[in-house]
């Protein structure tokens, strides 16, 4: 993968250009504030007089309704949840998008699955920071940045990559490193990571570990500490220095036990399950199920959330976490 740094990007590419950031959630707020501090002309596009509207105003940013923010914008950034992007695009973006503008995404879902089909006379790009919004902002304020991906789906002007790199530089990401890939690759790997490891796999493993210990008579408080509380400690070590650092820090007993027993948990059947997850992502099965649930008012998602809230693991966790609250 091609890697870019500060010397490869020029903020002057955005001189005299209006950048409209649509959405003011975690990503929208972090990116808009960083762009503003980098001297980029930023306008936040949100629904009028809502929480996001007022928050952006309090943060000292220019704020307009979606349609007005898009009008005359040279770069329109779709930093909205995947599920609402198609409607916002159809109602407010497409009717006001000018020829030669750049339509930008932080995730490729809507383009990869053709939920949004942009006109041919614009650039379509992605600049995807590999971090939650709060972390992006913290790293920028500290004088650095988080790594990011850039993707060029459509290069109408011949300047699409320069715009994507300039946005990455405005976020501080070129200080860390920016990789170039494709919309499809970003979409498929991002969804797979979330479902099989980061959000799906991890929570399923924690839940199963907790239930195994409790079923065998161990106190839920001890089970919580061992299978959930300490996951952050291990994750931080892996994040900082990979498996090697983690194995060097934990005890020899933990290392030997982990290396000799982990394949009983992640078995060949588990790997077949991972492949089926990737297959669902590739063939659109997941996209269709997710869109159907969204169009049904997120009924399925809310039922699953409620089931998780009622887990013994969650009730135990609430009590345990109180022990770590600082008392004034």
């Amino acid at each position: 993968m091609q890697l870019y740094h500060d010397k490869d990007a020029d903020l002057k590419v955005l001189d005299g250009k209006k950048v409209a950031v649509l959405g003011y959630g975690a990503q929208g707020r972090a990116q808009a504030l960083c762009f503003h501090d980098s001297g980029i002309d930023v306008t936040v596009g949100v629904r009028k007089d809502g929480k996001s509207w007022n928050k952006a105003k309090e943060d000292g940013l220019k704020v307009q309704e979606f349609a007005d923010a898009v009008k005359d914008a040279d770069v329109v950034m779709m930093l909205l949840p995947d599920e609402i992007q198609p409607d916002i695009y159809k109602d407010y973006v497409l009717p006001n998008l000018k020829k030669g503008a750049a339509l930008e995404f932080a995730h490729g879902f809507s383009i990869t699955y053709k939920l949004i089909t942009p006109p041919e006379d614009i650039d379509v790009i992605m600049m995807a920071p590999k971090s939650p919004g709060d972390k992006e902002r913290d790293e920028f304020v500290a004088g650095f940045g988080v790594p990011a991906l850039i993707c060029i789906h459509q290069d109408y002007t011949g300047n699409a990559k320069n715009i994507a790199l300039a946005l990455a530089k405005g976020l501080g990401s070129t200080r860390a490193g920016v990789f170039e890939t494709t919309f499809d690759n970003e979409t498929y790997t991002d969804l797979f990571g979330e479902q099989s490891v980061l959000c799906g796999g991890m929570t399923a493993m924690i839940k199963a570990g907790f239930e195994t210990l409790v079923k065998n008579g161990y106190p839920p408080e001890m089970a919580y500490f061992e299978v959930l509380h300490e996951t952050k400690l291990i994750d931080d070590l892996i994040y900082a220095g990979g498996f090697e650092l983690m194995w060097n820090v934990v005890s020899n007993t933990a290392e030997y036990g982990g290396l000799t027993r982990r394949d009983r948990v992640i078995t060949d059947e588990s790997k077949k399950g991972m492949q089926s997850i990737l297959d669902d992502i590739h063939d659109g099965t997941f996209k269709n199920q997710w869109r159907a649930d969204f169009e049904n008012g997120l009924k399925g998602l809310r039922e699953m959330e409620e089931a998780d809230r009622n887990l013994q693991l969650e009730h135990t966790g609430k009590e345990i976490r109180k022990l770590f609250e600082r008392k004034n």
Side-chain angles (χ1 to χ4, degrees):
M1 294 175 70
Q2 181 70 46
L3 180 63
Y4 300 95
H5 288 289
D6 265 354
K7 63 181 176 59
D8 303 306
D10 187 358
L11 275 175
K12 291 181 180 178
V13 169
L14 298 174
D15 281 356
K17 296 186 182 298
K18 174 184 176 181
V19 175
V21 174
L22 306 189
Y24 206 64
Q27 283 293 335
R29 182 171 188 264
Q31 293 195 38
L33 287 172
C34 294
F35 295 151
H36 177 266
D37 291 349
S38 293
I40 298 170
D41 180 11
V42 178
T43 298
V44 173
V46 290
R47 291 187 173 90
K48 190 170 185 179
D49 295 331
K51 286 176 59 177
S52 294
W53 177 282
N54 294 329
K55 181 61 176 173
K57 284 277 191 183
E58 291 170 6
D59 288 338
L61 298 175
K62 291 185 290 186
V63 187
Q64 293 180 313
E65 295 186 75
F66 288 123
D68 292 331
V70 174
K71 288 175 183 175
D72 300 322
D74 300 282
V75 181
V76 178
M77 305 185 70
M78 299 288 289
L79 301 187
L80 299 150
D82 292 327
E83 61 270 26
I84 69 171
Q85 282 187 16
D87 289 338
I88 298 297
Y89 174 80
K90 177 172 63 73
D91 293 341
Y92 304 108
V93 178
L94 184 58
N96 297 291
L97 195 59
K98 72 180 185 181
K99 180 178 179 179
L103 184 64
E104 192 274 344
F105 296 82
H107 178 39
F109 193 94
S110 292
I111 294 295
T112 294
Y113 291 117
K114 297 180 173 56
L115 300 172
I116 291 176
T117 304
E120 295 180 356
D121 59 357
I122 65 166
D123 295 334
V124 182
I125 62 177
M126 185 193 309
M127 192 278 289
K130 301 309 292 178
S131 170
D134 288 350
K135 177 69 171 176
E136 293 164 22
R137 182 61 179 162
D138 289 345
E139 288 295 317
F140 178 90
V141 170
F144 196 55
V146 301
L149 303 175
I150 61 165
C151 312
I152 311 304
H153 178 73
Q154 196 166 281
D155 188 8
Y156 173 76
T157 66
N159 203 34
K161 184 183 291 188
N162 292 331
I163 294 171
L165 284 169
L167 292 171
K169 188 166 188 174
L171 193 62
S173 291
T174 48
R175 298 170 190 153
V178 175
F179 292 93
E180 184 175 4
T181 184
T182 67
F183 269 71
D184 286 0
N185 282 353
E186 188 279 335
T187 302
Y188 297 148
T189 57
D190 190 74
L191 292 175
F192 177 79
E194 291 168 350
Q195 294 172 26
S196 66
V197 180
L198 304 176
C199 302
M202 184 181 296
T203 54
M205 191 173 298
I206 290 170
K207 179 175 176 286
F210 179 87
E211 290 171 350
T212 299
L213 285 173
V214 172
K215 184 177 71 174
N216 281 273
Y218 295 99
E221 294 82 2
M222 291 183 65
Y224 179 88
F225 275 118
E226 295 305 327
V227 304
L228 191 152
H229 178 78
E230 294 189 19
T231 56
K232 184 181 187 310
L233 309 179
I234 299 301
D235 182 65
D236 285 349
L237 291 170
I238 295 172
Y239 180 89
F243 290 167
E244 182 179 8
L245 175 63
M246 186 270 290
W247 291 133
N248 285 335
V249 171
V250 301
S251 70
N252 289 336
T253 306
E255 181 180 9
Y256 181 81
L259 288 171
T260 58
R261 266 68 177 168
R262 62 185 179 182
D263 288 345
R264 298 186 192 179
V265 178
I266 303 302
T267 64
D268 288 341
E269 287 303 307
S270 306
K271 293 172 185 176
K272 289 178 184 177
M274 287 188 171
Q275 183 62 53
S276 72
I277 288 173
L278 187 57
D279 291 343
D280 282 355
I281 291 167
H282 281 157
D283 66 20
T285 298
F286 169 74
K287 180 263 295 183
N288 292 337
Q289 292 173 343
W290 170 223
R291 291 295 299 172
D293 196 44
F294 173 66
E295 289 165 5
N296 193 35
L298 299 178
K299 182 179 178 181
L301 180 60
R302 299 300 175 235
E303 289 175 352
M304 291 184 286
E305 289 175 342
E306 182 64 20
D308 260 19
R309 271 194 293 271
N310 289 324
L311 292 173
Q312 183 182 14
L313 168 70
E314 286 290 87
H315 292 300
T316 301
K318 287 180 182 179
E319 296 305 313
I320 293 294
R321 288 190 290 273
K322 290 178 182 177
L323 302 178
F324 293 88
E325 294 176 358
R326 293 178 180 168
K327 307 296 191 293
N328 293 329

